Structure formats: C-alpha cells, structure tokens
Amino acid sequence: MADRRHPPNRLLSWERLQRGWSYEEVADRIRVEMARCQETDTGLSANTVRRWETGERWPDPRYRKHIVVIFNKPATDLGLLTLEELDVRPEAETIAEFRRLCEIMTGETEDGVSRSRVLRGLLGLGALPMLSPLLALAPDTAQAAQQAGDPTAYATIAACHRKMYWSSPARPLYEAAYAHTQLGLDLVRGSAGTAKSAFAASLAQSALLTARLAFFDLGRPAVADRCFDVGLSATREAGDHNLAVAVLGHMAFAPIFGRQPERARSLLDAARQHTWHGVHPAVRAWLHCTASESEARAGASTASRHHIDLATAALDAAEAADVEMPAWLDFFDASRLHSFAGYAALIGGDHAEAAVRLTSALDLLGPEAGKQRSVVLADLAACHPDDGDRQADYLNRALDAVEREWYGTGLNRIREVRPQLGDSPLGCELDERIGALALV
C-alpha cells in the first residue's frame, strides 16, 4: 500500500458510513453532480474515494466542491481543508460557532430556534445529527492536554455509573450521569491527541448510559436524543465502531416504539455499516436483536425471526472465539437474546414458542437484572390470553419487579398487556397497583 501523505480523513469516512454509502456510491453521486454542472469526472473511481479517506491522496478542488454538495455539510465538517486553509478562518467565526453549538446542546437557543430545527437546517432532512464540531474546536496543544486531566479517572467514574445502573434509583443516577457527560464534553474540548480519543471513548459510554436512563427509565425522549447526539459524535472522535453501533442501535428504539419502521430501519442500516469494521460478534448479535424487535413491531414476522437466527449465530461465534466482550455491553447476553426472541414469537402469534423462549430468558436472568425481569414477566403474561389467573400472576410479579427497581419501559409493557384482563376483579386490582406506581 502506498505511504500516507496525509492523516486519515475520519470525518469524511464517518459521514459516508452514517449514510450507508459505499466508496462506489460516493463516486457515483459526485459524477452525477459533476454532470449536472457539465464537468468531466476523469479519473474518479471508488478507489479514489478510498484513498481520500486513508490519507493516500487529498481531494482535488474540482471534487471538493461537489463533495460538500452531496454530503450537505461544510468543508470543515468533512475534513477537506488543509491546515493552511484552516488558518484563514476568522477567530471570531470560530468563537461564534462554538457558542452556537453549546446553545444547541443545552436546548433552546437565545433566538428561540429549537435544536431539532437547527439540526435539520445544518444537516438536511434525513441526515443523522452529528455535533462533532463541538468536540473538534479545542486547540491541539500540550497545554490543553495537561489541563484536561486524566482520561483513566474519567473512565473509572463512567464505569461505576454503568455498574450502578442495575441497582440504583434511576432519577439520581441519571442526574449524576448527565453531569458526568457534560464534564466529558468539556474534557474532550480541552484535550488533544491520544488523551482526546480516550476521553471521547468514555464520553460516548457516559452519554449512552445517560440517554438510556432518560429514554427507557424516565421517559424523557428529548433529553435522550440530545445525549445520543453527543455519544454518536464522541464515537467518531474516538474512532470506535463498536460504540457507534450501540449508539445508533439505541437511537432506533424511539422510532421502533413510535411505529416508525422506516426511520428505525435507516438508523439500524447506519449501525450495520459499522459492523463491517471488525466489531465484536456480541455487538452484532445485539444489533440483530434490536432489528428483530423493529421488524416484529412493524408486522414483518419472517424478517424478525431471521434476525433472531443471525443474532444466535453471532452470539455463538462470540462464545466460540472466546474474545472478551466490551465492558459496557452489560445490557446484552444469552438471556436478553431469549427475551428478544420471545417477543418476536409473541408478536408473530406463536404463543407457545414465545412462552418457551421467555421462560428461558427468565431462568437465565441474574439477580441484578430486575429491570429486564419486569419486561419478560409482562411478555409472559401476554403469552396466556385465555388464562386470566396466570396473566394476573405474571403481571403482579412484573409490578413487584418494578417496585423493587423502577423501570419505565417495564411499566409501559405491563400497561400494554393489562387490557387483556378487561374489567375483571383481577384487572381492577392491577389498575390500583399501576396507578400507585405511576405517581412515584
């Protein structure tokens, strides 16, 4: 391979991956744009695009202007400007952009423009929200790296928050994790080199945990969206494809639960692009399980079951390879796979198969998995639509789990099954318990 004359262009590579485009698709889109402008594309190929990303070549000016158009992003966000060209940028503009992005990350801007509107304006409809400029504006100096502190210390706290997720009250843990994520943003902006990448990897984990707490536990999807944005941007800064899969896959749950299958599929497709870059087999297995739930809720039972088969094969490969799983992947194992498989069978109408898989999930869940237990028990209740006593028993056990360890998603799943009991005395008793929990 030719020696690199320039640093790898991770910004361009990441934007391509986020859209699920191959090298050839990028080249084709540039050709179409050049033809529209009545320009020739002599020498442009998929290999040319690959060499731009690896740093073997720098895009010629005749291509750069069209790259900006097809990605609908400025040249700075695509890594297309040389250091000499970046030096031309006015200092006032840099400061203004930095402040503007900070305002966006905190919610409403001073002029009343919402985060979602700003993102749509900057990135175009359908583009994935990426706020990497917020992480990239720090000066690359040794002094900045020293001021940022120790990446190991920040990572240790993020890991402790993650372990506490399974046994701590959701709201105070969310507040601590959110504050740690905000701290991580400052640390990434104030660091450089390898320290910047290390901080970014831990920031992605902290942002992912905060988003999960906001979305699954506390029912705050807008906050979750904001944290997912930070996490996704941090994975790019860290160059961590495993974490990128996790963030994008989690982002898909909002449209999955909201009955927006096409939006969910686009996010899952973007996540799948990252699996081509050597991610852990267990990460692939979890992504297939997430896709299975997406297809199940969309009514595509065959596709849902196919994803479960792929997930099973990937998890088997992970166990056979005996490769250590990422420490942050503590929300997925064989019990969770059975849980996803049971739900897929349940939605597909195969109650017997669903009961078998969900019972296996329940048997495999560890003592720390109280949150997941509430979901599995609620799904088991749904497997017995003609047995009110059994349904009520499972739902009451699910409520017991929620009372011990609050989980908003578990309570919502219980509410979904509750109507099957109608106006029976058992159903009325459940209503009292559900109502009391909803006030907590």
Side-chain angles (χ1 to χ4, degrees), residues 21-97:
W21 296 346
S22 65
Y23 296 131
E24 183 61 41
E25 284 177 295
V26 174
D28 284 342
R29 289 172 184 272
I30 295 174
R31 291 190 195 101
V32 169
E33 183 61 25
M34 294 183 77
R36 186 183 68 81
C37 297
Q38 298 182 337
E39 299 178 16
T40 59
D41 60 354
T42 305
L44 179 63
S45 67
N47 191 49
T48 306
V49 178
R50 180 192 65 79
R51 295 175 74 184
W52 291 341
E53 293 186 7
T54 60
E56 296 172 36
R57 292 188 60 177
W58 194 267
D60 294 339
R62 59 177 173 150
Y63 295 136
R64 282 162 56 180
K65 62 183 180 180
H66 298 299
I67 296 172
V68 167
V69 171
I70 68 168
F71 282 100
N72 193 28
K73 296 180 79 70
T76 50
D77 289 3
L78 297 170
L80 299 179
L81 301 183
T82 64
L83 291 176
E84 292 78 10
E85 290 168 332
L86 287 171
D87 285 340
V88 177
R89 185 176 188 175
E91 183 178 359
E93 181 184 339
T94 300
I95 295 173
E97 180 178 347

Side-chain angles (χ1 to χ4, degrees), residues 323-347:
V323 180
E324 185 177 1
M325 289 175 57
W328 49 262
L329 192 64
D330 56 355
F331 49 80
F332 182 73
D333 55 16
S335 66
R336 267 66 166 193
L337 192 154
H338 281 296
S339 179
F340 277 109
Y343 186 76
L346 177 63
I347 295 298

